[in-house]
Amino acid sequence: GGSALDRIENARRLLEEAKTAGQTNSVEEAAKKARELAQQQRDVANDVRGLPSAGAGRAEREQLLDERKTEMAGEVQALQEDLERMSRDLRRDRAQTARDVQEAARGMRVGRLRDKIQYSRAVMRQGAPDYVRTFEESITEDLDSLSARLARAAGTAGSEGTRNADRTLEQARDLVRGLSSIDERMRDRENQSGAQSQQGREGQQGQ
């Protein structure tokens, strides 16, 4: 009985490991999101540089850029929260990936990336052109750094995932062999029991 329960527990654990295999995709998606944010920031920075020559249309352009920056700040915050959750989830099965993801999230938190993007809305409107340009370049550098860290984490997740998948597959094969063995023993027992019962009935009939 205990052996069968152990195997059921192993099956449950293997299902858990299969679930974490999907987390490689989550890290890759986070890396892709960081690349997209870095590209968005380049576009925004370019548009901000064009504000001094916008003339009468400056106020409207500022409003559109303000909205884009607000949206980006929200996306950065959501990504940071996703990374912090992901690093906790990965800690048990993929220690190195968890550390890489945690480092990326820490960089965002310590660098106050979301706050920086929010603050850049006021800088864009009121700052001197050189200061505005430097501030926008600083945000771009932060997002490029984040993107590079997450690209590294995605690479680590892929290699750790391959090792885990190989191990999980072998354990699953062992489990199937073990369950087949239990099934065969139970069938043998039933057959023996059926045969003994049949012999008992024939003996009674013979008397």
Side-chain angles (χ1 to χ4, degrees):
S3 177
L5 285 174
D6 288 345
R7 293 177 189 283
I8 290 167
E9 175 59 24
N10 282 343
R12 185 197 63 75
R13 184 173 54 76
L14 288 170
L15 285 171
E16 282 293 315
E17 289 185 9
K19 185 176 73 176
T20 63
Q23 288 168 335
T24 300
N25 293 336
S26 299
V27 179
E28 286 172 352
E29 284 164 14
K32 182 184 174 191
K33 183 63 182 175
R35 285 196 304 273
E36 288 171 355
L37 283 166
Q39 186 53 54
Q40 280 182 52
Q41 170 56 24
R42 282 190 178 79
D43 295 341
V44 165
N46 191 51
D47 290 347
V48 169
R49 276 197 299 273
L51 285 175
S53 59
R58 173 161 182 154
E60 185 180 353
R61 285 198 191 180
E62 280 181 349
Q63 182 57 36
L64 289 171
L65 284 165
D66 190 275
E67 289 169 8
R68 286 168 73 184
K69 283 178 172 293
T70 300
E71 187 177 339
M72 279 182 67
E75 289 175 358
V76 162
Q77 180 63 27
L79 180 58
Q80 182 182 319
E81 289 168 4
D82 284 348
L83 294 177
E84 287 167 348
R85 174 186 48 75
M86 215 180 291
S87 71
R88 289 192 298 271
D89 292 346
L90 288 163
R91 204 167 291 156
R92 185 169 69 90
D93 296 307
R94 302 190 185 183
Q96 186 56 53
T97 305
R99 282 193 290 272
D100 287 347
V101 170
Q102 187 176 32
E103 187 60 29
R106 182 179 169 278
M108 296 174 81
R109 188 171 61 253
V110 172
R112 300 183 66 179
L113 184 52
R114 185 202 63 147
D115 293 344
K116 209 168 177 179
I117 293 170
Q118 288 281 29
Y119 183 64
S120 74
R121 294 161 58 205
V123 172
M124 168 184 71
R125 285 192 162 96
Q126 299 160 11
D130 284 349
Y131 180 62
V132 172
R133 186 177 66 254
T134 302
F135 204 87
E136 291 295 329
E137 285 172 358
S138 172
I139 295 172
T140 303
E141 287 169 8
D142 287 350
L143 284 166
D144 281 342
S145 174
L146 172 65
S147 183
R149 282 174 172 163
L150 287 175
R152 185 170 65 243
T156 306
S159 58
E160 281 190 321
T162 300
R163 288 197 299 274
N164 286 355
D166 289 343
R167 189 174 69 243
T168 300
L169 183 60
E170 189 52 43
Q171 288 173 333
R173 284 172 178 154
D174 290 344
L175 178 65
V176 169
R177 284 194 289 267
L179 290 174
S180 296
S181 174
I182 289 172
D183 192 42
E184 284 171 14
R185 286 201 300 273
M186 288 179 71
R187 277 205 304 272
D188 288 345
R189 239 184 253 128
E190 286 171 4
N191 291 339
Q192 286 171 7
S193 175
Q196 287 168 359
S197 175
Q198 180 67 26
Q199 286 171 358
R201 282 199 299 275
E202 287 173 356
Q204 288 172 353
Q205 288 169 358
Q207 289 172 2

